[in-house]
Amino acid sequence: MPVAFSASQSLKLSLPAEDCDRVGLLPPYLDDEERVIGALLDPSQLERLEAGRYRYAVTRLQVFQLQIQPVVELQVRRQPGRIELNAIDCELEGLGLIDDFQLTLQSWLEAADTGLEGEATLAVTVSQPPLLKLIPTKVLEATGHSVLSRILLGIRTRVGQQLLGDFRDWCTQV
C-alpha cells in the first residue's frame, strides 16, 4: 500500500528598504532563467540539460535508517515577471528497487509591487520499503511531511538570502 505525503509553502517577500527603488528590475531579473535557477538551488547539485530543463540532485536525506537522494528533472517556464519550476521526472537513489516512487513539485515565483511572491507544493507517493514495513503508516506520513516541509523551508530561506543577494549583484551589472 503506497504512502503519500505533501507540504506547501507560500512566500511574500518585500525588498529591503535599500532595494525598494529596484523593485521594477525584478521582472527582467526573473527572465534570466539560468541565473535565477542557480540562485534558488545549489549550483553544485544542478545540471542544465537544455533550455528550460535541469537535473537536480537533492541533498541526501536520512529517513529513519535509510539514506536517500532524489534526483529530479525540472522544467522551467517563464512569463514576463514570473518563473515556474515543476518536477517532470524523479529517480530515487538509496532505496534499492522501488519503481513506484512519484514526486511532484509545482512552484512559481513572481515580481510583485513590493518584492516577490510565490508558492511551492511538494508531494511524494511511494510504497513502503521492506525496511520500514513495521513502522505505522501514519508515522511514515508524518515523517515524510516533516521532511518535505524542511526542504521547502530551505528553498524559502534561499529565496530570502541567496536569491535577493544575487538580485542585488545583478542590479549592479545592468
Side-chain angles (χ1 to χ4, degrees), residues 45-47 49 54-61 68-74 87-94 101-103:
Q45 297 168 251
L46 187 65
E47 174 189 358
L49 302 174
Y54 298 83
R55 181 173 293 120
Y56 185 65
V58 177
T59 302
R60 191 169 295 278
L61 306 166
I68 57 172
Q69 183 173 26
V71 179
V72 184
E73 190 171 325
L74 301 166
I88 57 174
D89 193 20
C90 184
E91 298 172 11
L92 191 59
E93 297 178 1
F101 177 82
Q102 292 181 328
L103 178 140

Side-chain angles (χ1 to χ4, degrees), residues 25-140:
L25 294 174
L26 280 170
Y29 171 73
L30 291 177
D31 286 340
D32 190 343
E33 173 187 305
E34 282 189 68
R35 185 169 190 136
V36 171
I37 298 302
L40 284 173
L41 303 172
D42 184 342
S44 69
Q45 297 168 251
L46 187 65
E47 174 189 358
R48 183 176 186 265
L49 302 174
E50 61 185 51
R53 291 179 70 145
Y54 298 83
R55 181 173 293 120
Y56 185 65
V58 177
T59 302
R60 191 169 295 278
L61 306 166
Q62 177 149 354
V63 180
F64 297 106
Q65 297 299 319
L66 300 174
Q67 291 269 342
I68 57 172
Q69 183 173 26
V71 179
V72 184
E73 190 171 325
L74 301 166
Q75 181 176 43
V76 178
R77 292 194 176 126
R78 291 188 327 249
Q79 298 173 16
R82 179 180 171 108
I83 191 164
E84 298 174 7
L85 185 63
N86 298 302
I88 57 174
D89 193 20
C90 184
E91 298 172 11
L92 191 59
E93 297 178 1
L95 284 184
L97 298 174
I98 293 191
D99 47 354
D100 66 344
F101 177 82
Q102 292 181 328
L103 178 140
T104 58
L105 168 68
Q106 296 176 320
S107 62
W108 57 271
L109 186 64
E110 68 184 10
D113 291 339
T114 61
L116 293 168
E117 293 183 1
E119 188 171 88
T121 300
L122 188 57
V124 168
T125 304
V126 65
S127 62
Q128 268 182 277
L131 287 172
L132 301 181
K133 292 279 188 199
L134 298 176
I135 297 173
T137 302
K138 293 290 184 197
V139 172
L140 287 174

